[in-house]
C-alpha cells in the first residue's frame, strides 16, 4: 500500500537562539508537510491554527483532493471515472476496503447490506414520539445513537472483530431509518427494504411506495441517485469526517461516532447548505433582482452569504458541482420539465463568476449549489436534502473510522493558547471572593 515518503528534507526553525530541525514528509502525490510533533519538547512552542486551516490532522489513503486544480479521487480513482462506470455500492466498497470489488465481492457486500437493512422492530415505536415537523436530520442522529442500546455488543473490540458486518450494518440501516423517518413525517405507513432491489432503488422505493399508489422505480432516477451519492461519498477531512475521527479516537462505539458525524453535517455551513441553497434560490427568484443578492453577499455589514458558494479547499470550480450542473440540465431536458430555480441559479453563478469580490476570493459553486435542484426534480422533499447527503457520506465516515482505529492514532486532544486572566490579575478578587465563601 502507498504511504507517505520520509525524506531527509527538513525545515529549520530558529527560536530563542536555538535551531530546531523539523522533518518534512511528502505524500504520494507530492504534497509536503512539516512534522511538528517534536516542536514542543524541543522549544516549548505549540502551533496555533484555528479552524485547522493549515493542519493535516492525520495521514490518510482514502481520498485525494487538489483544491487548486479541482481534482477529487477516491483511493486514487477520479470521481469522473467512478460516476461513469460504478454504482454507489461499488464506491462504498472501494472507500471502506481500498479497492473496487470483484464480481464475487460485490455480491457478498450487497448481500451483507441486505441482511443488515432492517432496524429492530422495537425501534419503530421511537418514530411515534418525535414531534410533528421535527427535522429528519435530528431524528436520524438520535436513532443512530439509540442503536447502541439495541445492538449492545458495540465495544471497540467486538466491533473490530466483526468489522465487515459492523460497517455494512451502519451503512445499510441509516438508509432504512431515513426512509422510515420520512414516511412517519407524512403520516404514511412505512415501507420495508427489499432484498431484490439495489441500494438506491431500495431507498427510493422505501420513500415513495404506498399501499394505494405503487411506486414505479425509474432506472434513470436510480442512475442519478447513484451519481449524486458517489459524488458525496467522501471528501477527506471535512467537518463531519473530522468529527467522526475525533469522537472515534476516544473509542466511542461506532453508532455514537456516526451520530456525531450526522450532527456535524446538519449545520448550514456544511451539509445543511443544500437545503439552505434552495430556500435562498426561492427568495431570489421571487425577488427577481440577482444583483441585489450578489451585493448583499459582498457587504461586510451583512451576515448574508451566497449558499452553495465557496469552499475551504477548492480554489477553483468544485469538480462535483461541474458534474451535477450538467446532470441537472440533462435530466430536466430529458423529463421535459423545467425548474425556474435552475434559471435563477445559472444567473447567480454567471453574475458571481464575473464579480471581482468572488474572483479575488476564488469563490465558485460548491457541491451543494445544484444538488437541491436535482433532488427537487426527483421528488425528494427539501427537508430530506441533508439526510440524502448523510446517506451518501456514510461510506466515507466508515472508511475514515476504520482507517483511524487501524492506525496507531492517539486520542485527539489538541493544545490551546490560554488567553484568560492570570492568577496575578485576579489576586484581589480571589481574596474578596474567598472571604465571601467563608461567611
Ligand atoms: N458568500 C459570500 N462570501 C463568502 C462566501 C459566500 N458563500 N464564502 C466565503 N466568502 C468570503 C468570506 O466572507 C471571506 O471574505 P474576507 O476574506 O473578505 O473575510 C472569504 O470569502 C473567505 O471565506 P471564509 O469563511 O474564511 O472561508 P472558509 O474556508 O472558512 O469557509 C465555507 C468555507 C464553505 C464555510 C464558506 O465558503 C461558506 O460559508 N459558504 C456558504 C455555505 C456553503 O455553501 N457550505 C457548503 C460547503 S461545501 C459542502 C460541505 O462541506 O458540506
Amino acid at each position: 500500500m502507498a504511504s507517505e515518503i520520509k525524506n531527509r528534507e527538513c525545515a529549520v526553525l530558529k527560536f530563542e537562539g536555538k535551531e530546531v530541525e523539523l522533518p518534512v514528509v511528502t505524500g504520494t502525490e507530492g504534497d509536503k508537510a512539516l512534522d511538528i510533533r517534536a516542536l514542543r519538547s524541543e522549544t516549548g512552542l505549540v502551533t496555533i491554527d484555528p479552524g485547522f486551516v493549515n493542519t493535516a490532522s492525520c495521514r490518510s489513503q482514502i481520498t485525494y483532493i487538489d483544491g487548486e486544480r479541482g481534482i477529487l479521487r477516491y483511493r486514487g480513482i477520479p470521481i469522473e471515472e467512478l460516476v461513469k462506470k460504478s454504482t454507489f455500492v461499488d464506491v462504498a466498497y472501494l472507500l471502506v476496503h481500498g479497492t473496487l470489488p470483484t464480481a464475487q465481492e460485490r455480491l457478498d457486500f450487497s448481500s451483507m447490506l441486505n441482511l443488515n437493512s432492517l432496524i429492530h422492530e422495537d425501534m419503530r415505536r421511537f418514530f411515534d414520539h418525535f414531534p410533528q415537523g421535527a427535522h429528519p436530520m435530528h431524528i436520524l442522529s438520535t436513532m443512530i445513537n439509540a442503536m447502541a442500546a439495541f445492538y449492545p455488543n458495540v465495544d471497540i473490540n467486538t466491533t473490530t472483530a466483526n468489522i465487515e458486518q459492523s460497517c455494512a450494518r451502519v451503512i445499510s440501516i441509516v438508509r432504512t431509518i431515513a426512509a422510515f423517518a420520512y414516511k412517519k413525517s407524512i403520516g404514511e405507513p412505512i415501507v420495508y427494504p427489499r432484498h431484490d432491489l439495489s441500494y438506491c432503488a431500495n431507498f427510493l422505493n422505501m420513500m415513495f411506495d404506498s399501499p394505494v399508489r405503487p411506486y414505479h422505480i425509474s432506472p434513470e432516477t436510480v442512475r442519478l441517485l447513484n451519481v449524486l451519492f458517489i459524488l458525496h461519498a467522501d471528501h477527506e477531512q471535512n467537518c463531519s469526517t473530522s468529527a467522526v475521527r475525533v469522537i472515534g479516537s476516544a473509542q466511542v462505539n461506532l453508532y455514537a461516532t456516526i451520530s456525531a458525524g450526522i450532527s456535524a453535517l446538519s449545520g448550514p455551513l456544511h451539509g445543511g447548505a443544500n437545503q439552505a441553497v434552495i430556500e435562498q434560490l426561492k427568495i431570489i427568484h421571487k425577488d427577481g433582482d440577482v444583483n441585489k443578492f450578489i451585493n448583499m453577499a459582498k457587504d461586510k455589514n451583512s451576515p448574508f452569504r451566497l449558499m452553495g458558494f465557496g469552499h475551504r479547499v477548492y480554489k477553483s470550480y468544485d469538480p462535483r458541482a461541474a458534474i451535477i450542473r450538467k446532470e441537472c440540465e440533462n435530466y430536466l431536458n430529458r423529463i421535459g420539465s423545467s425548474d425556474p430555480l435552475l434559471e435563477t441559479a445559472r444567473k447567480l453563478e454567471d453574475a458571481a463568476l464575473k464579480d471581482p469580490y468572488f474572483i479575488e476570493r476564488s469563490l465558485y459553486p460548491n457541491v451543494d449549489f445544484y444538488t437541491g435542484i436535482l433532488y427537487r426534480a426527483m421528488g425528494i422533499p427539501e427537508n430530506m436534502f441533508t439526510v440524502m447527503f448523510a446517506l451518501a457520506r456514510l461510506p466515507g465516515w466508515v472508511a475514515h473510522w476504520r482507517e483511524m482505529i487501524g492506525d496507531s492514532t492517539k486520542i485527539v486532544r489538541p493544545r490551546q493558547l490560554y488567553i484568560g486572566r492570570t492568577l496575578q490579575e485576579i489576586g484581589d478578587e480571589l481574596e474578596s471572593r474567598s472571604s465571601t465563601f467563608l461567611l
Side-chain angles (χ1 to χ4, degrees), residues 139-157:
I139 299 179
L140 193 64
S141 58
T142 308
M143 294 294 285
I144 295 299
N145 212 353
M147 279 186 64
F150 285 86
Y151 301 90
N153 293 324
V154 288
D155 64 274
I156 197 77
N157 294 332

Side-chain angles (χ1 to χ4, degrees), residues 51 53 232 235 238-240 264-265 267-274 276-277 280 293-294 296-300 303-315 318 320 357-358 361-369 389 393:
V53 175
H232 285 80
H235 215 236
N238 57 85
C239 180
S240 55
L265 188 75
L269 296 188
H270 194 10
N274 60 11
V277 167
Q280 197 170 82
F293 292 91
I294 294 280
M296 265 165 71
K298 290 159 36 175
D299 181 358
K300 289 293 162 200
F304 182 86
R305 283 192 164 198
L306 274 195
M307 300 311 284
F309 257 80
H311 199 274
R312 171 65 60 78
V313 180
Y314 292 119
K315 299 303 162 203
D318 182 333
R320 303 166 298 174
Y357 174 94
F358 289 85
R361 289 168 182 75
S362 303
L363 300 171
Y364 294 88
N366 60 46
V367 68
D368 291 319
F369 195 61
F389 196 157
R393 187 52 59 89

Side-chain angles (χ1 to χ4, degrees), residues 384-413:
M384 285 295 287
F385 288 1
T386 314
V387 171
M388 306 298 282
F389 196 157
L391 300 191
R393 187 52 59 89
L394 241 293
W397 289 332
V398 168
H400 283 272
W401 170 81
R402 193 173 176 174
E403 185 177 67
M404 187 265 310
I405 57 163
D407 252 5
S408 58
T409 311
K410 291 167 170 299
I411 186 167
V412 178
R413 202 300 181 193

Side-chain angles (χ1 to χ4, degrees), residues 416-436:
Q416 65 162 18
L417 191 64
Y418 176 70
I419 55 164
R421 292 188 294 171
T422 63
L423 195 52
Q424 203 179 351
E425 280 167 354
I426 62 159
D428 292 345
E429 187 185 328
L430 196 65
E431 236 166 63
S432 67
R433 288 274 166 104
S434 23
S435 52
T436 317

Side-chain angles (χ1 to χ4, degrees), residues 103 116 140 202 233 338 364 372:
N116 290 283
L140 193 64
N202 228 327
S338 64
Y364 294 88

